[in-house]
Amino acid sequence: MRNMGKLMILTSLTFGGGAVLADAVDERLASYQAEGAGPFDAAQGESMWNGSYVHAKADKPRNCASCHTDNLKSSGQHARTGKAIEPMAPSVNTKRLTEAREIEKWFGRNCKWTMGRECTAQEKGDFLSYMRLQ
């Protein structure tokens, strides 16, 4: 009986983070679908991650990799402030994509900085579909 309790704790520690990730991402994807977006495409999310964006407030073309690197498993550095950025890949950084509120907060900031506008629900869904695979 004692070993069963240990097994249950170990299982929850091993798989618990994945459940939180799935819950937050699935909740956001469902929200975007309710807005009329979907189906979501991870390949499109990857293309957007590496795409270049030019807008009035940008001194040169920007993309997500400008700060986060093209490898989501690597640490990045903010292009303007020099602040360190933890890896985006949930497989490396277990804090990523675990809270819906944080996901929306960072979409708000990063879409405006990178693209010069808010991301659409479709773009957010494509990005999340790509990021959750990393």
Side-chain angles (χ1 to χ4, degrees), residues 37-85:
F40 301 115
D41 183 354
Q44 180 62 29
E46 180 179 18
S47 176
M48 290 168 45
W49 181 270
N50 293 306
S52 289
Y53 303 93
V54 180
H55 56 86
K57 295 184 179 180
D59 54 346
K60 60 183 180 180
R62 296 177 179 171
N63 67 15
C64 302
S66 298
C67 296
H68 295 283
T69 79
D70 58 352
N71 180 355
L72 279 71
K73 295 179 181 180
S74 297
S75 295
Q77 184 176 28
H78 192 277
R80 186 171 37 98
T81 67
K83 180 182 175 187
I85 301 172

Short mmCIF file of all heavy atoms in Angstrom, two decimals, residues 37-85:
data_model
loop_
_atom_site.label_atom_id
_atom_site.label_comp_id
_atom_site.label_asym_id
_atom_site.label_seq_id
_atom_site.Cartn_x
_atom_site.Cartn_y
_atom_site.Cartn_z
N ALA A 37 -11.75 31.08 -35.29
CA ALA A 37 -10.45 30.65 -35.83
C ALA A 37 -10.39 29.12 -35.90
O ALA A 37 -11.18 28.43 -35.30
CB ALA A 37 -9.32 31.16 -34.95
N GLY A 38 -9.42 28.63 -36.67
CA GLY A 38 -9.17 27.20 -36.78
C GLY A 38 -9.52 26.72 -38.17
O GLY A 38 -10.17 27.44 -38.93
N PRO A 39 -9.10 25.54 -38.54
CA PRO A 39 -8.21 24.67 -37.78
C PRO A 39 -6.82 25.29 -37.68
O PRO A 39 -6.42 26.08 -38.54
CB PRO A 39 -8.20 23.37 -38.58
CG PRO A 39 -8.57 23.76 -39.98
CD PRO A 39 -9.45 24.98 -39.85
N PHE A 40 -6.10 24.90 -36.64
CA PHE A 40 -4.78 25.48 -36.38
C PHE A 40 -3.69 24.65 -37.04
O PHE A 40 -3.80 23.43 -37.15
CB PHE A 40 -4.56 25.63 -34.88
CG PHE A 40 -5.60 26.50 -34.25
CD1 PHE A 40 -6.49 25.99 -33.33
CD2 PHE A 40 -5.72 27.84 -34.61
CE1 PHE A 40 -7.46 26.79 -32.76
CE2 PHE A 40 -6.70 28.65 -34.07
CZ PHE A 40 -7.58 28.12 -33.14
N ASP A 41 -2.65 25.33 -37.46
CA ASP A 41 -1.59 24.71 -38.26
C ASP A 41 -0.22 25.02 -37.65
O ASP A 41 0.24 26.16 -37.71
CB ASP A 41 -1.69 25.26 -39.68
CG ASP A 41 -0.70 24.66 -40.65
OD1 ASP A 41 0.18 23.87 -40.24
OD2 ASP A 41 -0.80 24.99 -41.84
N ALA A 42 0.41 23.99 -37.08
CA ALA A 42 1.73 24.18 -36.46
C ALA A 42 2.78 24.64 -37.47
O ALA A 42 3.64 25.45 -37.15
CB ALA A 42 2.18 22.88 -35.78
N ALA A 43 2.68 24.16 -38.70
CA ALA A 43 3.64 24.58 -39.74
C ALA A 43 3.49 26.07 -40.03
O ALA A 43 4.49 26.78 -40.24
CB ALA A 43 3.44 23.76 -41.01
N GLN A 44 2.27 26.56 -40.01
CA GLN A 44 2.04 28.00 -40.20
C GLN A 44 2.60 28.78 -39.01
O GLN A 44 3.18 29.85 -39.18
CB GLN A 44 0.55 28.29 -40.39
CG GLN A 44 0.24 29.75 -40.60
CD GLN A 44 0.88 30.32 -41.86
OE1 GLN A 44 1.11 29.61 -42.84
NE2 GLN A 44 1.16 31.60 -41.85
N GLY A 45 2.44 28.24 -37.81
CA GLY A 45 3.01 28.87 -36.62
C GLY A 45 4.53 28.96 -36.71
O GLY A 45 5.11 29.99 -36.38
N GLU A 46 5.17 27.92 -37.19
CA GLU A 46 6.63 27.93 -37.37
C GLU A 46 7.03 28.96 -38.41
O GLU A 46 8.00 29.71 -38.23
CB GLU A 46 7.13 26.55 -37.77
CG GLU A 46 8.63 26.50 -37.97
CD GLU A 46 9.14 25.12 -38.34
OE1 GLU A 46 8.34 24.26 -38.77
OE2 GLU A 46 10.36 24.91 -38.21
N SER A 47 6.28 29.03 -39.50
CA SER A 47 6.56 30.01 -40.55
C SER A 47 6.44 31.43 -40.01
O SER A 47 7.28 32.29 -40.31
CB SER A 47 5.59 29.79 -41.71
OG SER A 47 5.78 30.76 -42.70
N MET A 48 5.43 31.67 -39.19
CA MET A 48 5.26 32.99 -38.59
C MET A 48 6.39 33.29 -37.61
O MET A 48 6.86 34.42 -37.53
CB MET A 48 3.90 33.07 -37.90
CG MET A 48 2.75 33.08 -38.88
SD MET A 48 1.13 32.83 -38.12
CE MET A 48 1.19 33.89 -36.71
N TRP A 49 6.82 32.28 -36.85
CA TRP A 49 7.91 32.45 -35.89
C TRP A 49 9.17 32.96 -36.59
O TRP A 49 9.85 33.84 -36.09
CB TRP A 49 8.21 31.11 -35.20
CG TRP A 49 9.29 31.20 -34.18
CD1 TRP A 49 10.64 31.02 -34.38
CD2 TRP A 49 9.14 31.52 -32.80
NE1 TRP A 49 11.32 31.20 -33.21
CE2 TRP A 49 10.43 31.50 -32.23
CE3 TRP A 49 8.05 31.81 -32.00
CZ2 TRP A 49 10.64 31.77 -30.88
CZ3 TRP A 49 8.26 32.08 -30.66
CH2 TRP A 49 9.54 32.06 -30.12
N ASN A 50 9.46 32.42 -37.75
CA ASN A 50 10.69 32.77 -38.47
C ASN A 50 10.49 33.87 -39.50
O ASN A 50 11.46 34.34 -40.08
CB ASN A 50 11.25 31.52 -39.14
CG ASN A 50 11.73 30.51 -38.13
OD1 ASN A 50 12.53 30.81 -37.26
ND2 ASN A 50 11.22 29.29 -38.22
N GLY A 51 9.24 34.29 -39.74
CA GLY A 51 8.97 35.33 -40.72
C GLY A 51 9.49 36.69 -40.27
O GLY A 51 9.70 36.94 -39.09
N SER A 52 9.74 37.57 -41.21
CA SER A 52 10.19 38.93 -40.90
C SER A 52 9.04 39.91 -41.02
O SER A 52 8.23 39.82 -41.94
CB SER A 52 11.30 39.35 -41.86
OG SER A 52 12.47 38.63 -41.59
N TYR A 53 8.99 40.84 -40.06
CA TYR A 53 7.92 41.83 -40.02
C TYR A 53 8.53 43.21 -39.96
O TYR A 53 9.44 43.47 -39.19
CB TYR A 53 7.02 41.58 -38.80
CG TYR A 53 6.45 40.20 -38.79
CD1 TYR A 53 7.09 39.17 -38.12
CD2 TYR A 53 5.28 39.91 -39.49
CE1 TYR A 53 6.58 37.88 -38.13
CE2 TYR A 53 4.76 38.62 -39.50
CZ TYR A 53 5.42 37.61 -38.82
OH TYR A 53 4.91 36.35 -38.84
N VAL A 54 8.02 44.10 -40.78
CA VAL A 54 8.46 45.48 -40.80
C VAL A 54 7.24 46.35 -40.50
O VAL A 54 6.17 46.14 -41.06
CB VAL A 54 9.04 45.87 -42.19
CG1 VAL A 54 9.48 47.31 -42.19
CG2 VAL A 54 10.19 44.95 -42.56
N HIS A 55 7.41 47.27 -39.58
CA HIS A 55 6.32 48.19 -39.26
C HIS A 55 6.91 49.52 -38.82
O HIS A 55 8.12 49.67 -38.66
CB HIS A 55 5.38 47.61 -38.21
CG HIS A 55 6.04 47.20 -36.93
ND1 HIS A 55 6.25 48.07 -35.90
CD2 HIS A 55 6.53 46.01 -36.53
CE1 HIS A 55 6.85 47.42 -34.91
NE2 HIS A 55 7.04 46.18 -35.26
N ALA A 56 6.05 50.51 -38.65
CA ALA A 56 6.47 51.89 -38.41
C ALA A 56 7.38 52.06 -37.19
O ALA A 56 8.28 52.89 -37.20
CB ALA A 56 5.24 52.79 -38.27
N LYS A 57 7.17 51.26 -36.15
CA LYS A 57 7.97 51.42 -34.94
C LYS A 57 9.25 50.59 -34.93
O LYS A 57 10.04 50.67 -34.01
CB LYS A 57 7.13 51.08 -33.71
CG LYS A 57 5.98 52.05 -33.50
CD LYS A 57 5.24 51.73 -32.23
CE LYS A 57 4.10 52.73 -32.04
NZ LYS A 57 3.34 52.47 -30.82
N ALA A 58 9.45 49.79 -35.96
CA ALA A 58 10.64 48.93 -36.04
C ALA A 58 11.74 49.63 -36.83
O ALA A 58 11.51 50.12 -37.92
CB ALA A 58 10.28 47.61 -36.69
N ASP A 59 12.93 49.64 -36.26
CA ASP A 59 14.06 50.24 -36.98
C ASP A 59 14.63 49.30 -38.03
O ASP A 59 15.34 49.72 -38.93
CB ASP A 59 15.15 50.67 -35.99
CG ASP A 59 15.60 49.55 -35.06
OD1 ASP A 59 14.91 48.52 -34.98
OD2 ASP A 59 16.65 49.72 -34.41
N LYS A 60 14.32 48.01 -37.93
CA LYS A 60 14.72 47.01 -38.90
C LYS A 60 13.73 45.85 -38.81
O LYS A 60 12.96 45.78 -37.85
CB LYS A 60 16.15 46.53 -38.64
CG LYS A 60 16.36 45.90 -37.28
CD LYS A 60 17.81 45.52 -37.08
CE LYS A 60 18.00 44.90 -35.70
NZ LYS A 60 19.35 44.51 -35.45
N PRO A 61 13.72 44.94 -39.78
CA PRO A 61 12.78 43.82 -39.71
C PRO A 61 12.94 43.03 -38.41
O PRO A 61 14.05 42.85 -37.92
CB PRO A 61 13.15 42.96 -40.92
CG PRO A 61 13.82 43.90 -41.86
CD PRO A 61 14.54 44.89 -40.99
N ARG A 62 11.81 42.59 -37.87
CA ARG A 62 11.81 41.81 -36.63
C ARG A 62 11.12 40.48 -36.87
O ARG A 62 10.27 40.36 -37.73
CB ARG A 62 11.04 42.55 -35.53
CG ARG A 62 11.65 43.85 -35.12
CD ARG A 62 10.78 44.54 -34.09
NE ARG A 62 11.40 45.80 -33.67
CZ ARG A 62 10.80 46.69 -32.91
NH1 ARG A 62 9.57 46.47 -32.46
NH2 ARG A 62 11.41 47.81 -32.56
N ASN A 63 11.49 39.52 -36.07
CA ASN A 63 10.74 38.27 -36.00
C ASN A 63 10.88 37.71 -34.58
O ASN A 63 11.61 38.26 -33.76
CB ASN A 63 11.18 37.27 -37.08
CG ASN A 63 12.58 36.76 -36.90
OD1 ASN A 63 13.21 36.89 -35.86
ND2 ASN A 63 13.10 36.15 -37.96
N CYS A 64 10.16 36.66 -34.29
CA CYS A 64 10.20 36.08 -32.95
C CYS A 64 11.61 35.64 -32.58
O CYS A 64 12.05 35.81 -31.44
CB CYS A 64 9.25 34.90 -32.86
SG CYS A 64 7.54 35.30 -33.27
N ALA A 65 12.31 35.10 -33.57
CA ALA A 65 13.67 34.61 -33.34
C ALA A 65 14.65 35.75 -33.04
O ALA A 65 15.74 35.50 -32.52
CB ALA A 65 14.14 33.80 -34.54
N SER A 66 14.26 37.00 -33.32
CA SER A 66 15.14 38.13 -33.01
C SER A 66 15.50 38.15 -31.53
O SER A 66 16.60 38.54 -31.17
CB SER A 66 14.46 39.46 -33.36
OG SER A 66 14.18 39.57 -34.71
N CYS A 67 14.57 37.75 -30.69
CA CYS A 67 14.82 37.72 -29.24
C CYS A 67 14.89 36.30 -28.70
O CYS A 67 15.69 36.01 -27.82
CB CYS A 67 13.72 38.47 -28.49
SG CYS A 67 13.64 40.22 -28.85
N HIS A 68 14.05 35.42 -29.23
CA HIS A 68 13.92 34.08 -28.67
C HIS A 68 14.82 33.05 -29.34
O HIS A 68 14.87 31.92 -28.86
CB HIS A 68 12.47 33.60 -28.79
CG HIS A 68 11.51 34.39 -27.97
ND1 HIS A 68 11.38 34.25 -26.62
CD2 HIS A 68 10.63 35.36 -28.33
CE1 HIS A 68 10.45 35.07 -26.17
NE2 HIS A 68 9.99 35.77 -27.19
N THR A 69 15.50 33.37 -30.39
CA THR A 69 16.30 32.51 -31.25
C THR A 69 15.40 31.62 -32.10
O THR A 69 14.22 31.46 -31.81
CB THR A 69 17.35 31.62 -30.50
OG1 THR A 69 16.71 30.50 -29.91
CG2 THR A 69 18.11 32.41 -29.46
N ASP A 70 15.96 31.03 -33.14
CA ASP A 70 15.16 30.17 -34.00
C ASP A 70 14.97 28.79 -33.39
O ASP A 70 14.15 28.00 -33.84
CB ASP A 70 15.75 30.07 -35.41
CG ASP A 70 17.18 29.56 -35.42
OD1 ASP A 70 17.80 29.43 -34.35
OD2 ASP A 70 17.69 29.31 -36.52
N ASN A 71 15.73 28.48 -32.34
CA ASN A 71 15.60 27.22 -31.61
C ASN A 71 14.86 27.49 -30.31
O ASN A 71 15.43 28.07 -29.38
CB ASN A 71 16.98 26.61 -31.34
CG ASN A 71 16.90 25.31 -30.59
OD1 ASN A 71 15.84 24.86 -30.16
ND2 ASN A 71 18.05 24.68 -30.42
N LEU A 72 13.61 27.08 -30.22
CA LEU A 72 12.79 27.36 -29.05
C LEU A 72 13.31 26.70 -27.78
O LEU A 72 12.87 27.03 -26.69
CB LEU A 72 11.34 26.96 -29.31
CG LEU A 72 10.52 27.95 -30.10
CD1 LEU A 72 10.92 28.02 -31.54
CD2 LEU A 72 9.06 27.63 -29.97
N LYS A 73 14.26 25.79 -27.91
CA LYS A 73 14.84 25.11 -26.75
C LYS A 73 16.04 25.87 -26.18
O LYS A 73 16.60 25.47 -25.17
CB LYS A 73 15.23 23.69 -27.12
CG LYS A 73 14.02 22.84 -27.47
CD LYS A 73 14.40 21.44 -27.86
CE LYS A 73 13.13 20.67 -28.21
NZ LYS A 73 13.42 19.30 -28.60
N SER A 74 16.42 26.96 -26.82
CA SER A 74 17.55 27.77 -26.38
C SER A 74 17.08 29.03 -25.68
O SER A 74 15.99 29.53 -25.96
CB SER A 74 18.42 28.18 -27.58
OG SER A 74 18.96 27.05 -28.20
N SER A 75 17.91 29.56 -24.81
CA SER A 75 17.63 30.85 -24.17
C SER A 75 17.83 31.95 -25.19
O SER A 75 18.65 31.83 -26.10
CB SER A 75 18.56 31.07 -22.99
OG SER A 75 18.29 30.11 -21.99
N GLY A 76 17.10 33.03 -25.01
CA GLY A 76 17.23 34.18 -25.90
C GLY A 76 17.61 35.41 -25.12
O GLY A 76 17.91 35.37 -23.93
N GLN A 77 17.59 36.54 -25.83
CA GLN A 77 17.93 37.82 -25.23
C GLN A 77 17.14 38.91 -25.95
O GLN A 77 17.14 38.96 -27.18
CB GLN A 77 19.43 38.08 -25.36
CG GLN A 77 19.89 39.33 -24.67
CD GLN A 77 21.41 39.48 -24.77
OE1 GLN A 77 22.04 39.00 -25.70
NE2 GLN A 77 21.97 40.16 -23.80
N HIS A 78 16.46 39.75 -25.18
CA HIS A 78 15.65 40.80 -25.79
C HIS A 78 16.55 41.70 -26.64
O HIS A 78 17.61 42.15 -26.19
CB HIS A 78 14.92 41.62 -24.73
CG HIS A 78 13.87 42.50 -25.30
ND1 HIS A 78 14.15 43.73 -25.83
CD2 HIS A 78 12.53 42.31 -25.45
CE1 HIS A 78 13.04 44.27 -26.28
NE2 HIS A 78 12.04 43.42 -26.05
N ALA A 79 16.13 41.94 -27.86
CA ALA A 79 16.94 42.70 -28.82
C ALA A 79 17.22 44.13 -28.37
O ALA A 79 18.28 44.68 -28.66
CB ALA A 79 16.25 42.71 -30.19
N ARG A 80 16.29 44.76 -27.67
CA ARG A 80 16.48 46.15 -27.25
C ARG A 80 17.05 46.28 -25.84
O ARG A 80 17.99 47.03 -25.62
CB ARG A 80 15.14 46.90 -27.35
CG ARG A 80 15.27 48.40 -27.07
CD ARG A 80 13.98 49.17 -27.37
NE ARG A 80 12.77 48.47 -27.02
CZ ARG A 80 12.08 48.66 -25.90
NH1 ARG A 80 12.49 49.54 -25.01
NH2 ARG A 80 10.97 48.00 -25.68
N THR A 81 16.52 45.51 -24.90
CA THR A 81 16.92 45.67 -23.50
C THR A 81 18.09 44.78 -23.09
O THR A 81 18.74 45.05 -22.09
CB THR A 81 15.75 45.37 -22.55
OG1 THR A 81 15.42 43.97 -22.64
CG2 THR A 81 14.55 46.24 -22.87
N GLY A 82 18.32 43.71 -23.84
CA GLY A 82 19.38 42.77 -23.49
C GLY A 82 18.98 41.80 -22.38
O GLY A 82 19.77 40.96 -21.97
N LYS A 83 17.74 41.87 -21.91
CA LYS A 83 17.26 41.00 -20.85
C LYS A 83 17.23 39.54 -21.33
O LYS A 83 16.80 39.24 -22.44
CB LYS A 83 15.85 41.43 -20.42
CG LYS A 83 15.27 40.58 -19.33
CD LYS A 83 13.86 41.03 -18.97
CE LYS A 83 13.26 40.07 -17.95
NZ LYS A 83 11.87 40.34 -17.69
N ALA A 84 17.70 38.64 -20.45
CA ALA A 84 17.68 37.21 -20.77
C ALA A 84 16.25 36.71 -20.85
O ALA A 84 15.38 37.14 -20.09
CB ALA A 84 18.44 36.43 -19.71
N ILE A 85 16.01 35.80 -21.78
CA ILE A 85 14.69 35.20 -21.97
C ILE A 85 14.86 33.69 -21.89
O ILE A 85 15.66 33.10 -22.62
CB ILE A 85 14.08 35.59 -23.33
CG1 ILE A 85 13.95 37.10 -23.46
CG2 ILE A 85 12.75 34.89 -23.54
CD1 ILE A 85 13.54 37.58 -24.84
#
